[in-house]
Amino acid sequence: MSTTDRQAPLRILQGCDTFSPDVNGAARFAERLSAGLVQRGHDVHVVAPSKRHSQHGSFVETIEGEQMTVHRWASWRWYPHDWLRFVLPWRARGYARTLLDRVRPDVIHIQSHIVIGRALAIEGAKRGIRIVATNHVMPENVLDFTLLPEKAKRLFVRWGWNAADRVLRLASAVTTPTRRAADFLERNTHRRGVRPVSCGLRASDYTADLTPRTANTLVFVGRVTLEKEIDVILRAIPRLDADLDVHFTVVGDGDQRKHLEKLAADLGISDRVEFTGRVSDAELRAHLTSASVFTIASIAELQSIATMEAMASGLPIVAANAMALPHLVHDGENGYLFQAGNDRELASCITRVLRQTPEEYLRMQRASLEAVTVHDIDRTLDTFEELYRGEADAR
């Protein structure tokens, strides 16, 4: 039994600007972390936007199979985005004051510095509550939904990082999923000592099929949005040899779906591309298990839980050589990296995987399974328990 297992349970308040039913990496991380902490006996409270404007209050919700208290703050839909909701900033501070005086948490863990996280950090710091912050946000990723002109976008990015700086300086510890993401955060703020802590997953929840494939299927899992650059994958498919008979499954939904469906039609590959829309966890895992290659062209991943899920499913990975993806994909071992945006190079990498002998393909599968072990969720939980108690500071 570890030292943290023998200590008294904590009352932990998670501040999330995105949470269930949203589907994205930050929400999934907060859900898994919260559920894992409940399993370890902690009293977990989550602050999240309401599912609809009329909803405001505290509710017992089942998240990742575990019951916890979720405090839903009244929020409004951001219509340029397909699902994003936000709490009115001038109300968030009042909500935070009331909640903190009632819940009295031992520690606050904010998952962003935007509205909910900002309000909880400011009011928590006033009360001397320990604050841990995890950054999942790049202001650059929000630009597609701002409807701002180019000059205003540059000012928005500068303002966004300055706002992050002001909030993160209130935290006793700041984490982000990878070393590269930590370096990126330190370059854009005055914060130093940012700790890379993997989002983590439980690999045993996924099934790897190590038998030879009878069909060639590419799969992508994630939000169907602009920064994921799914169009690059679509443009690569016509470049593949016809005898490979490659099909492509896009698991997820988003504002770019209709545009990408039209692009597939224009490229003449509609009969080989499937857009599943939103699916259940069981369906998602089945798509991963049955695929041949996981392909991701995104240029804005701070870690990519979807890529880790594919690795836990025993898939070779073909990924853009951008942001944190090289932390997961070791070129020539469990997959290949291609220059971001280069559909010709992407097609070449896919071909290299699909032309392998069964023995070489199996070697890549096993390499993915081995590489994902360091991202076990229990390691992540151990680290955050230490951060919550201040034990990592002492060391």
Side-chain angles (χ1 to χ4, degrees), residues 63-187:
I63 305 295
E64 293 283 314
E66 300 294 333
Q67 287 194 330
M68 62 193 72
T69 303
V70 181
H71 307 276
R72 296 281 182 181
W73 290 358
S75 66
W76 297 80
R77 168 80 184 280
W78 179 250
Y79 282 100
H81 195 280
D82 57 328
W83 50 260
L84 185 65
R85 301 186 66 87
F86 66 96
V87 176
L88 296 176
W90 52 89
R91 291 188 176 178
R93 294 276 294 278
Y95 295 156
R97 286 192 290 269
T98 300
L99 183 65
L100 291 175
D101 290 343
R102 177 159 58 91
V103 174
R104 297 183 180 277
D106 298 305
V107 62
I108 299 169
H109 186 175
I110 63 171
Q111 300 297 329
S112 80
H113 57 267
I114 304 176
V115 178
I116 291 176
R118 178 178 181 274
L120 290 174
I122 291 172
E123 295 301 325
K126 290 179 179 178
R127 290 158 175 76
I129 301 171
R130 182 174 176 83
I131 297 165
V132 173
T134 295
N135 183 61
H136 301 279
V137 179
M138 293 169 57
E140 293 86 344
N141 289 353
V142 184
L143 293 177
D144 296 330
F145 309 107
T146 61
L147 305 180
L148 295 174
E150 285 304 315
K151 185 175 180 179
K153 285 183 178 181
R154 290 192 293 272
L155 293 173
F156 174 84
V157 169
R158 188 184 311 160
W159 171 85
W161 283 119
N162 288 338
D165 202 15
R166 289 192 295 272
V167 174
L168 296 179
R169 70 180 60 180
L170 301 173
S172 300
V174 177
T175 78
T176 196
T178 63
R179 181 69 261 168
R180 184 171 290 194
D183 293 341
F184 190 77
L185 182 60
E186 291 182 353
R187 284 198 303 271

Side-chain angles (χ1 to χ4, degrees), residues 28-91:
R28 293 289 284 163
F29 167 67
E31 292 158 19
R32 288 174 175 170
L33 177 66
S34 299
L37 292 167
V38 170
Q39 290 172 355
R40 293 188 173 203
H42 298 290
D43 180 14
V44 177
H45 294 248
V46 177
V47 181
S50 61
K51 298 177 184 179
R52 55 187 182 278
H53 174 62
S54 59
Q55 181 191 45
H56 184 92
S58 302
F59 310 88
V60 175
E61 297 185 20
T62 301
I63 305 295
E64 293 283 314
E66 300 294 333
Q67 287 194 330
M68 62 193 72
T69 303
V70 181
H71 307 276
R72 296 281 182 181
W73 290 358
S75 66
W76 297 80
R77 168 80 184 280
W78 179 250
Y79 282 100
H81 195 280
D82 57 328
W83 50 260
L84 185 65
R85 301 186 66 87
F86 66 96
V87 176
L88 296 176
W90 52 89
R91 291 188 176 178

